[in-house]
Amino acid sequence: MTKEDEIELFWLPIMLSYIAGDTVLPPMLGLEHAPYEALTAKTRVLRQTLNKQHQHALRQLRQQLRNMRHKEYQELMALLLEHANPDANLVEPAAAVIACGCLGNRHLWKDLGLPERPRLSRMFAWYFPQLFRANDRNMRWKRFLYKQLCEQGGDYICRAPSCDECSTYSECFGAEEH
């Protein structure tokens, strides 16, 4: 997949949703300056519109949330990058954006502003193929990532010794509604 394919398939919907206010992403999509510039280099008109959104008060609050949950953000980033596709062009920005999206309260695909969950699954399949294959029971992505952190001995509470015994099993699997 080329960088242009990645931008069209994954990044364009995220950027358009960001402009519309439909993501939980902080300023610059949660990216550092250099990766943000590299990502938006080919979309100059779109970048101008994106840049106008960065100072919005809600975006600043989202940046404060990310700062307050910095350790959690870093653990998510490390998990994602540990399983990164070496052939992907924009894997580090993908990890950063997904980690920021995990700090939201809705389904991850909604918090990123993607049009549907299958697009997020394709994103995982491309950028983080080991994690994609490990999610063989189609667990919701945010829950899956936190379960991975829990199993690594993180500070996250696992609700049951196995999913089959968990009282909230039905919340983790199955169709997500819009």
Side-chain angles (χ1 to χ4, degrees):
M1 183 179 304
T2 67
K3 184 176 181 180
E4 288 76 22
D5 292 336
E6 290 177 42
I7 289 172
E8 186 174 329
L9 186 60
F10 307 127
W11 296 101
L12 193 56
I14 290 171
M15 289 187 258
L16 292 173
S17 292
Y18 179 88
I19 290 168
D22 294 334
T23 74
V24 298
L25 300 174
M28 296 194 318
L29 307 172
L31 303 173
E32 299 296 326
H33 183 73
Y36 174 77
E37 291 294 320
L39 176 65
T40 60
K42 296 206 180 228
T43 58
R44 294 190 199 290
V45 173
L46 192 55
R47 185 193 313 182
Q48 292 172 351
T49 307
L50 284 166
N51 289 345
K52 292 176 186 174
Q53 297 292 318
H54 299 325
Q55 297 309 314
H56 190 277
L58 186 55
R59 304 247 185 262
Q60 299 303 315
L61 286 173
R62 290 179 177 144
Q63 182 63 47
Q64 290 174 10
L65 172 65
R66 182 182 140 190
N67 294 345
M68 290 180 349
R69 295 171 67 184
H70 184 72
K71 180 182 177 206
E72 178 181 347
Y73 170 81
Q74 289 296 326
E75 289 175 355
L76 287 161
M77 283 283 296
L79 172 67
L80 291 163
L81 292 174
E82 178 183 329
H83 298 91
N85 175 357
D87 297 326
N89 294 295
L90 300 166
V91 71
E92 288 186 28
V97 167
I98 288 172
C100 285
C102 285
L103 303 179
N105 294 323
R106 301 178 301 166
H107 296 299
L108 182 54
W109 63 272
K110 287 182 179 183
D111 283 340
L112 295 178
L114 290 169
E116 73 279 327
R117 185 175 187 261
R119 184 83 53 110
L120 178 60
S121 293
R122 286 185 71 186
M123 200 170 177
F124 270 92
W126 175 244
Y127 290 117
F128 314 105
Q130 292 172 332
L131 289 172
F132 178 78
R133 286 189 300 274
N135 189 5
D136 59 356
R137 294 173 65 188
N138 199 26
M139 182 180 267
R140 293 182 182 148
W141 284 109
K142 194 181 301 185
R143 289 182 185 264
F144 176 78
L145 292 174
Y146 282 99
K147 184 174 184 297
Q148 298 303 302
L149 291 177
C150 176
E151 289 173 357
Q152 289 180 355
D155 294 333
Y156 303 96
I157 298 171
C158 293
R159 295 185 184 174
S162 76
C163 289
D164 295 331
E165 298 174 27
C166 182
S167 63
T168 60
Y169 176 87
S170 63
E171 294 174 20
C172 294
F173 300 92
E176 293 180 21
E177 291 154 25
H178 295 281

